[in-house]
Amino acid sequence: MLECIPEGPVEHTTGKINPAKTCQPLGAMYAALGIHGCLPHSHGSQGCCAYHRMHLTRHFRDPVMASSSSFTEGASVFGGAANLKTSIKNVFAIYNPEIMAVHTTCLSETIGDDLPNIIKTAEIPEGKAVIHVNTPSYQGSHITGFSGMCKAMVSYLAQSDSAVKKSQMNVLPGFVNPGDMREIRRIVDALGVKMIMFPDTSGVLDTPLTSRYQMYPDGGTTVAEIRDSGNSEVTLALGAFASHDAADVLQEKCGVTGIPLRLPIGIKATDDFIMAVKDWFGVEIPKSLTLERGQVIDTLIDTHFHYQGKRVAVFGDPDHVIALTEFLLAMGMVPVYVLTGTPGKAFEAEINKMLTDAGITGARVKAEGDLFELQQWIKEAPVDLLIGTSYGKYIARAEDVPFVRFGFPILDRAVHPLMPVVGYRGCLRLIEQISNALLDRRDRDCLDEDFELVL
Amino acid sequence: MTGTDEPIEEMLAPYPDLVKKNRKKHLIVKNESAECCPQIEANTRTIPGIISQRGCAYAGCKGVVVAPIKDMITITHGPVGCGYYSWGTRRNKARADDTTPKDKIYSQLCFITDMQEPDIVFGGEKKLAKMIDEVVAAFHPRAINICATCPVGLIGDDINAVAKAAMERHGIQVLAYNCEGYKGVSQSAGHHIANNNLMQNVIGTGTERKAGKHVINILGEYNIGGDGWELERILTECGYTVNSILTGDSSYLDIKNLHLADLNLVQCHRSINYIAEMMETKYGIPWLKVNFIGINATNESLRNLARCFNDPELAEQTEIVIARETARVTAVLDQYRKICQGKTAFAFVGGSRSHHYQYLLRDLGMEVVVAGYEFAHRDDYEGRQVIPTIKSDADSKNIPELHLTPDPERYREAHEYLNLTKEEYEALKKDVPLSYYEGLYPNLKAGELMIDDANHHEVEELVARLKPDLIFSGVRDKYIAHKLGVASKQLHSYDYAGPYAGYGGAINFAQDVANALSTPAWKLITPPWEKENTEGSESHA
């Protein structure tokens, strides 16, 4: 596998080889799917929309609907205003969504289409909404695009129109799976606090098969709820890269206090999430959550010898990797290579601080990296475990490293979008996956006389 | 369909007038009494806002034609997305062979310049040149492709100049493809751009003819799921030497020698007919349209092929292979036919598959009642005889047409390649599809619907009205079918199985289709507590 990869160090300063990120529009499309009755719209050539829909569909194994302005060369020369206006007219006439969420592409950005003005002069039926975000593919990553669409939801829709703030909180869940969003809702329900979570792809990208197809499934945050988010007391923004910006805009625009948190992956980040709710609303923590937490601690103590001290390489989206690295340290593992494709020095600073606090030296940490580089590191000094998206499977096979799939995208395994990695239950799932990967390897590699029933 | 236009009218009813007028021209119901195919509108712009299945020129050039060439490094010049989405998603398998060792295979890697805002503002040529230098130093490829994405053309990066300079610096061929996503109206534009470049710069530059009595190429076969390998097995057993498969599991070295063959087989007409035609013009090499999807179709293609060579030994060996393989597969297919018999299907894929798979499905007792292409031209529906009547428009004009002339040194008459007299060749042309493709229409039965660039609304409406048992589509429509309660198989990626071509492929396909139709969960959809209330209303549950 990958025999063409050079063994020794090579100069690789330009471009990406085996990228660990993709472009902004994909994230914008995913975020928009978390609005109820929303049709995401890609303002560019139809190839972009085709690629994004395919990629999201492969990860979620559920329908991903979106339309495109279908640029041709003419539109690229004369501007895409006519294409967008025609699109808006046709989309509402034929597909009748509640709201269209438009994002741009590198094509429409390079020619400089003025979206706010085009939208202002488009025919939008009464009671329907069109929002937009600029997502040039030559900036940031899919995570930045997700963050941008969350901001657009706030800046277009959120309103502070009640005399006093309502006793409710907003949660910006970040670029996580519908299963994670369901789990966040379960935890908040257990805490007894009213929540507006947006975007929310549960009920959109994890729908049941009933033989009755709904183009706009029951799930997703309604436009009315997003409007009402301006009346909430507080916003918990989960993940610096995907969620903090939207919370800032909401605080500025509507005076809703924003509390920046990590994604609630792992014990500490889940504790922080629950404590933030407790501290703000003064709620009692139900016994059920205390029990769940205790089960995680019990499992960690019971199984630590499966993984403690193992060298691990982690890559993926920044908010996921930051939270997971914290949990891996809590498991006693040694993250030696930590990489994200998304640009942002804050990522490196945050991981480096965690590693320093844990007394780990000599680790390599990189934002805006690629998987070619990660593979070079692993060739230089191997690891016991690789954790990341499906793209890691090539490295895992080439370098013969056990592999745990985590984050987005996972294209070669099913069910994962329904199974949370957030919260205490998510901790158990991660421990099980990591532990099993290492034990499967031990069972595979050991001598017959060392092959044991009980581990 | 019922043979009337009524269901189509109902389906189109919700459309705004302009959309309705446009879409009507893309739909043809087969009418047995019509002597030839009525004109269908194809290869024209998708209406903005309509949820189409089409992709872009980059996808057709890089994703389909160029990326499978295993020993070339393909660098996408652009922001990160396009290269990323077309990385590892088309299942064109590749392996080492006599001329290409494992360490010269790059098709599982993704190379992209990852243009950033300053590159858009100040130009990305330097970045591209630097990346080529680094890639050559690190990987030592035999040759490099550069594929352009939308912004490259808009900001005016001259990738041809970068390629030329890199070629001079490194002494290897560097090909630049101006396949910006906004060119043309679909993937099809990209196929043409890729065909032109390979024809102009690679094909004909080699000198080594493979040993063998009958040396052939398979064009328009991308080795999805290993299809090309199954075809190579069969053809080798019949007595042919497969020179190169274009471009599945192909190598740059083999493509250089593509002209040193006696006959080109064309599997996917849409994506590769340009090269077939241009090779005929330049070298005189004839091409034969084949279809190796389905037992009867494979047998017919093999017999047509054998007839081209006027070699009794070859004809005999072909019959031996046909007899042995048909016997081997028929018994297995009979098992699956029990499940498949009488079932109906829709097929919305590509520029050939919706036609080719009809034969295999008929082998299984199934019928495709609605067939459509995403990015085909009129000739793929109506047959190549309409090509002179196709009007070029603003979108097709921006794809350059190469005007080749016969190569003074290498051109030979087609019949000479096949060891036939001119008269024999002309007579043969009347019997087998040499330089000809009849299109999808003749194979349809009366009342069946042919649809170009089918969109989400139409697919949903047609499913509701015609209630097919199975939908063959791409991944975007696959799960929509499931939610509608209809089984589906992806015909681009074969749901990650295959091969589906040839004899071995027919068995795989039959098994997968039978499984999709009969998987026990289809009977579990209604929960028992709902069944009590609606007893008798859902017979399948």
Side-chain angles (χ1 to χ4, degrees):
Chain A
M1 173 66 37
L2 303 188
E3 284 81 356
C4 65
I5 299 274
E7 282 296 327
V10 294
E11 193 187 356
H12 171 42
T13 61
T14 311
K16 295 284 180 285
I17 304 174
N18 301 342
K21 64 169 178 184
T22 185
C23 61
Q24 289 207 76
L26 177 127
M29 186 181 284
Y30 180 55
L33 289 163
I35 306 175
H36 176 72
C38 178
L39 191 68
H41 181 84
S42 167
H43 185 52
S45 146
Q46 65 207 0
C48 310
C49 186
Y51 273 146
H52 303 143
R53 288 182 63 207
M54 277 192 258
H55 201 67
L56 290 167
T57 303
R58 287 183 178 124
H59 176 87
F60 294 106
R61 296 178 201 249
D62 246 13
V64 172
M65 302 311 298
S67 52
S68 163
S69 291
S70 293
F71 274 48
T72 55
E73 191 148 1
S76 309
V77 175
F78 301 112
N83 288 54
L84 184 52
K85 285 182 185 174
T86 308
S87 296
I88 290 173
K89 192 175 163 208
N90 285 334
V91 160
F92 282 113
I94 301 166
Y95 305 112
N96 194 28
E98 293 301 313
I99 174 170
M100 262 177 96
V102 183
H103 60 263
T104 55
T105 59
C106 42
L107 170 48
S108 51
E109 286 291 336
T110 304
I111 63 174
D113 275 352
D114 179 1
L115 262 72
N117 266 326
I118 301 170
I119 292 169
K120 252 181 233 157
T121 50
E123 289 173 47
I124 302 168
E126 188 68 30
K128 306 284 182 173
V130 177
I131 65 174
H132 97 280
V133 61
N134 293 93
T135 47
S137 315
Y138 44 78
Q139 284 173 1
S141 75
H142 56 297
I143 297 301
T144 326
F146 181 94
S147 168
M149 185 53 90
C150 293
K151 266 198 294 188
M153 293 176 199
V154 171
S155 46
Y156 266 95
L157 302 172
Q159 283 172 4
S160 173
D161 51 11
S162 69
V164 286
K165 292 292 180 201
K166 297 180 182 173
S167 175
Q168 65 187 27
M169 71 168 173
N170 306 319
V171 169
L172 289 156
F175 194 133
V176 295
N177 280 324
D180 293 316
M181 296 183 190
R182 277 186 198 279
E183 183 63 6
I184 289 168
R185 183 168 298 284
R186 191 186 67 87
I187 293 168
V188 174
D189 284 351
L191 291 165
V193 172
K194 186 172 178 238
M195 169 178 74
I196 296 170
M197 175 161 59
F198 68 96
D200 181 2
T201 56
S202 67
V204 180
L205 290 166
D206 61 355
T207 58
L209 195 156
T210 60
S211 296
R212 283 174 291 277
Y213 169 73
Q214 289 174 274
M215 184 159 173
Y216 306 105
D218 294 338
T221 320
T222 62
V223 171
E225 285 169 323
I226 300 175
R227 285 213 170 96
D228 195 37
S229 70
N231 296 319
S232 299
E233 289 180 5
V234 63
T235 304
L236 303 191
L238 310 183
F241 285 80
S243 301
H244 288 189
D245 281 359
D248 288 347
V249 176
L250 194 50
Q251 180 155 344
E252 210 174 289
K253 183 181 174 188
C254 301
V256 182
T257 304
I259 299 179
L261 292 167
R262 287 188 179 144
L263 276 182
I265 294 172
I267 288 274
K268 169 78 168 43
T270 305
D271 288 350
D272 288 349
F273 174 70
I274 289 171
M275 285 305 286
V277 181
K278 179 179 164 33
D279 288 349
W280 189 275
F281 292 97
V283 291
E284 288 292 312
I285 306 301
K287 279 187 183 158
S288 61
L289 288 179
T290 309
L291 177 137
E292 282 174 27
R293 188 181 186 280
Q295 287 175 322
V296 178
I297 306 301
D298 185 59
T299 307
L300 284 170
I301 301 294
D302 294 350
T303 61
H304 71 276
F305 52 84
H306 293 163
Y307 41 76
Q308 184 149 359
K310 300 285 186 193
R311 287 162 56 85
V312 55
V314 194
F315 73 92
D317 295 333
D319 295 336
H320 277 81
V321 171
I322 288 167
L324 182 67
T325 303
E326 185 178 58
F327 186 48
L328 293 172
L329 290 168
M331 292 171 74
M333 298 187 77
V334 186
V336 287
Y337 309 132
V338 185
L339 181 141
T340 186
T342 296
K345 290 291 166 201
F347 172 83
E348 293 175 3
E350 197 153 359
I351 299 282
N352 277 323
K353 180 170 187 312
M354 271 187 225
L355 296 178
T356 306
D357 290 351
I360 292 170
T361 52
R364 285 173 168 166
V365 179
K366 189 165 184 186
E368 212 174 351
D370 63 27
L371 300 186
F372 174 73
E373 194 165 15
L374 181 63
Q375 189 172 356
Q376 297 291 102
W377 295 347
I378 292 173
K379 274 185 188 297
E380 204 178 309
V383 290
D384 301 303
L385 182 70
L386 174 65
I387 304 179
T389 72
S390 284
Y391 293 96
K393 75 189 289 183
Y394 293 95
I395 300 177
R397 185 171 158 109
E399 309 304 330
D400 196 23
V401 185
F403 178 41
V404 168
R405 287 164 180 79
F406 171 79
F408 176 91
I410 295 175
L411 309 170
D412 60 336
R413 295 291 186 272
V415 191
H416 56 89
L418 283 69
M419 310 301 281
V421 293
V422 301
Y424 301 125
R425 289 196 174 166
C427 292
L428 292 178
R429 180 151 192 269
L430 288 168
I431 297 167
E432 188 184 22
Q433 285 181 311
I434 290 168
S435 193
N436 287 0
L438 291 164
L439 295 176
D440 283 346
R441 176 58 53 117
R442 173 171 162 178
D443 281 346
R444 191 197 84 177
D445 288 352
C446 71
L447 300 171
D448 283 356
E449 54 270 42
D450 294 327
F451 190 69
E452 298 180 56
L453 178 67
V454 185
L455 291 171
Chain B
M1 304 300 282
T2 56
T4 74
D5 286 347
E6 203 174 303
I8 290 183
E9 290 295 336
E10 286 172 24
M11 176 174 91
L12 301 180
Y15 282 153
D17 289 345
L18 281 174
V19 179
K20 194 186 290 177
K21 200 174 150 207
N22 176 311
R23 285 303 302 160
K24 220 175 157 175
K25 294 185 226 158
H26 296 261
L27 301 151
I28 301 281
V29 178
K30 170 91 175 213
N31 183 345
E32 208 61 275
S33 63
E35 276 186 15
C36 60
C37 178
Q39 184 173 327
I40 189 167
E41 183 139 315
N43 194 34
T44 52
R45 291 179 187 183
T46 299
I47 305 159
I50 297 295
I51 301 177
S52 152
Q53 299 167 324
R54 282 174 162 182
C56 65
Y58 169 85
C61 177
K62 192 271 184 179
V64 174
V65 182
V66 166
I69 307 172
K70 60 190 170 188
D71 57 347
M72 292 181 88
I73 283 184
T74 299
I75 300 176
T76 298
H77 185 37
V80 68
C82 307
Y84 174 89
Y85 301 116
S86 56
W87 170 28
T89 46
R90 241 183 78 82
R91 303 194 71 236
N92 29 249
K93 298 190 176 196
R95 63 186 173 202
D97 58 28
D98 296 345
T99 51
T100 305
K102 278 188 166 182
D103 62 0
K104 288 284 172 229
I105 297 180
Y106 309 102
S107 35
Q108 281 173 325
L109 276 68
C110 172
F111 297 84
I112 184 142
T113 53
D114 188 22
M115 288 173 99
Q116 299 296 306
E117 188 155 23
D119 304 319
I120 300 295
V121 178
F122 302 110
E125 292 175 12
K126 279 190 187 139
K127 189 172 199 183
L128 175 61
K130 179 106 197 311
M131 186 164 190
I132 294 171
D133 292 347
E134 290 185 1
V135 160
V136 169
F139 293 90
H140 315 292
R142 292 166 173 166
I144 289 177
N145 296 310
I146 302 164
C147 291
T149 61
C150 291
V152 169
L154 298 173
I155 64 171
D157 267 6
D158 187 348
I159 59 170
N160 292 287
V162 174
K164 191 159 173 272
M167 212 152 27
E168 282 161 12
R169 272 200 312 283
H170 299 297
I172 58 168
Q173 198 162 28
V174 182
L175 302 176
Y177 301 81
N178 285 105
C179 54
E180 287 86 352
Y182 54 77
K183 294 243 170 99
V185 299
S186 71
Q187 294 94 311
S188 176
H191 304 147
H192 197 163
I193 290 163
N195 275 236
N196 285 351
N197 205 341
L198 292 174
M199 186 67 205
Q200 218 166 6
N201 297 305
V202 186
I203 296 166
T205 57
T207 53
E208 285 171 46
R209 181 182 157 99
K210 278 194 183 162
K213 198 172 172 190
H214 305 299
V215 180
I216 57 174
N217 299 313
I218 312 173
L219 309 186
E221 167 52 60
Y222 300 101
N223 202 30
I224 310 294
D227 276 353
W229 293 331
E230 168 68 355
L231 300 189
E232 203 170 357
R233 175 188 75 81
I234 297 166
L235 291 163
T236 306
E237 285 187 19
C238 288
Y240 303 96
T241 300
V242 177
N243 180 40
S244 183
I245 297 176
L246 208 62
T247 55
D249 195 30
S250 68
S251 71
Y252 170 71
L253 293 185
D254 288 342
I255 297 174
K256 282 164 74 93
N257 293 318
L258 203 74
H259 61 303
L260 300 173
D262 304 320
L263 180 67
N264 281 324
L265 309 189
V266 171
Q267 174 80 354
C268 173
H269 175 260
R270 181 67 268 136
S271 64
I272 216 84
N273 79 93
Y274 316 96
I275 283 180
E277 208 182 335
M278 289 188 284
M279 285 181 78
E280 193 172 19
T281 307
K282 188 170 177 185
Y283 303 108
I285 300 176
W287 64 269
L288 177 75
K289 177 72 183 82
V290 291
N291 173 22
F292 292 110
I293 306 295
I295 304 304
N296 292 321
T298 301
N299 291 348
E300 190 187 331
S301 288
L302 287 177
R303 288 188 174 116
N304 286 344
L305 176 55
R307 289 187 64 185
C308 291
F309 285 96
N310 195 22
D311 174 351
E313 207 180 311
L314 181 74
E316 193 182 327
Q317 181 58 23
T318 298
E319 289 304 326
I320 290 170
V321 171
I322 288 176
R324 186 195 69 211
E325 293 284 325
T326 307
R328 174 176 76 93
V329 221
T330 306
V332 187
L333 289 197
D334 284 346
Q335 293 300 313
Y336 297 119
R337 194 179 299 107
K338 288 175 192 152
I339 295 167
C340 300
Q341 186 77 44
K343 299 282 200 291
T344 59
F346 290 180
F348 305 110
V349 261
S352 286
R353 289 172 196 264
S354 294
H355 180 196
H356 289 165
Y357 276 82
Q358 294 187 12
Y359 298 88
L360 180 48
L361 287 163
R362 280 185 188 154
D363 289 343
L364 292 170
M366 291 179 68
E367 187 61 27
V368 174
V369 293
V370 179
Y373 292 139
E374 289 167 55
F375 47 78
H377 298 199
R378 276 183 58 204
D379 40 316
D380 303 296
Y381 294 101
E382 301 174 50
R384 279 183 74 89
Q385 71 282 357
V386 303
I387 290 177
T389 68
I390 296 176
K391 289 193 201 102
S392 63
D393 57 18
D395 298 311
S396 52
K397 274 183 193 145
N398 61 31
I399 315 300
E401 286 278 349
L402 297 188
H403 296 287
L404 301 181
T405 50
D407 183 311
E409 282 167 32
R410 299 197 177 275
Y411 184 85
R412 286 189 287 152
E413 294 286 323
H415 65 90
E416 293 174 43
Y417 281 93
L418 303 174
N419 254 339
L420 300 173
T421 64
K422 201 168 173 65
E423 294 70 37
E424 283 172 332
Y425 181 73
E426 290 305 324
L428 182 66
K429 266 184 108 170
K430 295 196 173 77
D431 289 349
V432 304
L434 277 161
S435 313
Y436 183 67
Y437 175 45
E438 65 173 354
L440 164 72
Y441 187 76
N443 193 48
L444 294 177
K445 291 182 177 166
E448 291 175 355
L449 174 66
M450 186 164 88
I451 181 166
D452 177 67
D453 187 19
N455 62 53
H456 174 73
H457 167 76
E458 291 161 10
V459 173
E460 201 186 330
E461 287 286 315
L462 287 166
V463 169
R465 284 163 207 282
L466 301 178
K467 300 190 172 25
D469 298 292
L470 190 63
I471 295 177
F472 293 102
S473 68
V475 72
R476 279 164 287 162
D477 293 283
K478 178 179 179 64
Y479 303 103
I480 297 169
H482 288 178
K483 300 298 179 194
L484 283 158
V486 181
S488 80
K489 293 303 291 177
Q490 295 180 62
L491 268 197
H492 295 285
S493 72
Y494 306 167
D495 284 340
Y496 326 111
Y500 281 172
Y503 301 105
I507 294 177
N508 295 333
F509 179 80
Q511 182 177 34
D512 291 348
V513 166
N515 284 347
L517 288 168
S518 65
T519 191
W522 287 123
K523 295 196 171 135
L524 302 173
I525 293 171
T526 312
W529 50 92
E530 284 179 19
K531 260 192 248 182
E532 283 162 19
N533 301 332
T534 57
E535 209 158 359
S537 67
E538 286 194 54
S539 57
H540 67 275

